[in-house]
Amino acid sequence: MRSPIPLVWIALLALVLLPTAAGRVLLDLAGGFVLLMLALPFVLGGVGWIGWKLMQSRMRTCPACGTVNFATAAVCQMCGTELPSVSGGTPAEGGSTQRTQEVSVPASSATIDISAEDVD
């Protein structure tokens, strides 16, 4: 004689447990698992996007051949051309040691007057 398939046992167990506190705990666990499975792709996608943006910020393009190199390299890995330094960083990051001095200019002298003219 064949024994019933496990799905029947699971259904019978669920019918017995659902009206009890144990059934409620099982439903809460199942709901949490489903929520986790629905949210996991979005969380992993967000982490991947942040990682990609972080990696992109550390890349430099060679002016001679166009190869993308990481900022830690001083010369291009493909052609050997010296890569331009990253401005605004510390010398350990490959940035320049001198920063440009910002000149304070009054806004009235920096404003440009524009007049509209009809073109024939």
Side-chain angles (χ1 to χ4, degrees), residues 71-110:
T72 56
V75 295
C76 178
Q77 298 171 355
M78 295 299 287
C79 65
T81 305
E82 187 174 336
L83 294 173
S85 63
V86 179
S87 61
T90 63
E93 295 173 350
S96 63
T97 56
Q98 293 182 357
R99 297 193 180 202
T100 58
Q101 297 290 330
E102 293 185 21
V103 179
S104 179
V105 178
S108 61
S109 65

Side-chain angles (χ1 to χ4, degrees), residues 15-115:
L15 286 175
V16 170
L17 288 178
L18 280 180
T20 65
R24 185 166 180 97
V25 168
L26 287 175
L27 282 176
D28 288 343
L29 285 175
F33 180 74
V34 168
L35 185 64
L36 176 71
M37 295 314 275
L38 289 175
L40 192 62
F42 294 108
V43 171
L44 290 177
V47 168
W49 182 77
I50 290 171
W52 173 249
K53 288 298 183 182
L54 182 66
M55 198 166 71
Q56 268 186 336
S57 70
R58 296 181 180 177
M59 292 183 182
R60 289 186 290 177
T61 304
C62 175
C65 66
T67 304
V68 177
N69 297 286
F70 282 103
T72 56
V75 295
C76 178
Q77 298 171 355
M78 295 299 287
C79 65
T81 305
E82 187 174 336
L83 294 173
S85 63
V86 179
S87 61
T90 63
E93 295 173 350
S96 63
T97 56
Q98 293 182 357
R99 297 193 180 202
T100 58
Q101 297 290 330
E102 293 185 21
V103 179
S104 179
V105 178
S108 61
S109 65
T111 304
I112 302 171
D113 293 327
I114 300 174
S115 60

